[in-house]
Amino acid sequence: MTRWIPFCISLTALVSFGAPAAADEALPVQAAEAMRRAVDFYGRQVAVHGGYVYRYSADLAKREGEGKTGPDTVWVEPPGTPAVGMAYLDAYERTGDGYLLDAARAAGECLVRGQLRSGAWTASIEFAAEARKKYAYRTDPPPPRRAFNWSTFDDDKSQSAIRFLCRLDKTLNFQDARVHEAITFALDAVLKAQFPNGAWPQGFQESPDPAKYPVLQASYPETWPWKYPGGDYWMYYTFNDNAISDTIDTLLLASEVYREPRYRDAALRGGEFILLAQMPEPQPAWAQQYNFEMHPVWARKFEPPAISGGESQGILRTLIRLYVQTGDRKFLEPVPRAIEYLQRSTMPDGQLARFYELQTNKPLYFTRQYELTYDDSDMPTHYAFKIGNGLAGLTQQYERVSKLTAEQLAELRTPAPDRIRVTPQLETQVRRLVESLDERGAWVEDGRLRYHGDADDTRRVIDSSTFIKNLAALSRYVGASRR
């Protein structure tokens, strides 16, 4: 299932336009066989314990996610295990081929075995016996007291696992007891981790005590440290990397799958926090993270207290979605003020700064030595301190939905059917995918393993993102050709 992006043209739409292509009688058979071979290779030779990492050397000897990984480690963060599992599930729903559901179930079982006792997931899952002892996995015997038990919302880790398991549970008619119990436990943990104001932290081990976290409106601190102070930032209210937006999307999906009002209520409370977190003038947008006094604060050493041009755009998309979901204009009210602020903050080259200094609105950067500065001439390269400007599209979305009637909003809430027609463009793409599959069933491409040096065997790779994209194209074609 493609993650919800309001009013964008999806791949489905792109392959649905144009006149029907002339029939290529051999291609549907070739595409179905290529898909089966690719899934067999990825599920049997690439997967370990049913799970995946980001990319591999062509010979599968080297593997990496956010760093090197060993042979018994799999990755949760997309495009790791949940993303590959979702690709299998999408392909199964398009074609009905049972081997795809088998592959999805294997990925689901991997995630079940990687669920922490705190309820959700961290970046990776360990399966080697000694490494597993360091983590508080639910399926294992009680661990030592110091075992790692921090579930995280960072970078869509837990959210992607929950969305996949929700979809898998539904596809299995809620009859797989292990999957159903794991996803129910995870969703309960997400609800328990929510603060009284509707926010979530970046990571959690237990439920917050409501008495310790008053509900406040965001405001500017009187002062803030120019130098990085350190601290446990992951426990704060966190928008960074769209953590709260991803959590809201996940709970809205869960409410659709399980018809459980608690999940929808929690998602809407997350929206209420977005309203509380909008900063007052002169910068009516959002910071990456807030402390418990609702002041923007430091996170990592290159993430200062500031207004974020990046996260603010993601939050605006979430507000528009919440309005479509509810018809409640309170979610739409902050949008024009934030867009106008971001428009006047746009830099001469059309980009937005990742960080704008509180109240002065000057763009903030870092030197390679991680000194905060107004100068962009010596920035680190691992992090985007200047970002793309999507305000034109956001403005168009806002203007469109703000004019819709209640009936039209209800229509937008109904998912459109996956209508795909076989076009010349799709046939050309599928033919290329069939021809580029090697004798093993692998798509090998030029690329680079980021964490293994610059040896010859790191420049030809097998990438999970590419596999997901190619499987989507093949399954759309195969499904359409069978209708």
Side-chain angles (χ1 to χ4, degrees), residues 328-341:
D328 191 334
R329 296 194 77 87
K330 71 182 179 185
F331 293 119
L332 214 53
E333 187 276 334
V335 174
R337 285 184 291 122
I339 288 177
E340 192 278 330
Y341 157 71

Side-chain angles (χ1 to χ4, degrees), residues 438-457:
D438 73 12
E439 67 280 357
R440 298 172 297 172
W443 284 294
V444 181
E445 60 189 311
D446 292 333
R448 187 173 73 86
L449 295 179
R450 296 175 57 188
Y451 305 102
H452 289 80
D454 196 27
D456 289 343
D457 64 351

Side-chain angles (χ1 to χ4, degrees), residues 3-81:
R3 293 183 63 195
W4 188 90
I5 304 174
F7 315 117
C8 289
I9 298 175
S10 67
L11 177 58
T12 300
L14 288 174
V15 300
S16 299
F17 291 98
D24 183 336
E25 294 182 359
L27 188 58
V29 175
Q30 294 169 351
E33 175 60 16
M35 184 170 68
R36 186 198 61 76
R37 289 178 55 223
V39 170
D40 186 71
F41 171 74
Y42 229 69
R44 294 178 184 273
Q45 297 188 50
V46 176
V48 294
H49 307 282
Y52 305 88
V53 297
Y54 291 0
R55 63 191 67 85
Y56 309 79
S57 59
D59 62 1
L60 301 181
K62 296 178 178 179
R63 306 153 38 89
E64 64 182 31
E66 290 286 335
K68 293 181 182 179
T69 61
D72 291 299
T73 301
V74 304
W75 217 254
V76 177
E77 181 181 335
T81 304

Side-chain angles (χ1 to χ4, degrees), residues 460-482:
R460 293 283 289 168
V461 300
I462 296 169
D463 194 290
S464 288
S465 292
T466 298
F467 174 78
I468 291 167
K469 178 183 66 177
N470 292 351
L471 179 59
L474 284 178
S475 63
R476 284 185 166 105
Y477 175 78
V478 170
S481 68
R482 290 175 178 174

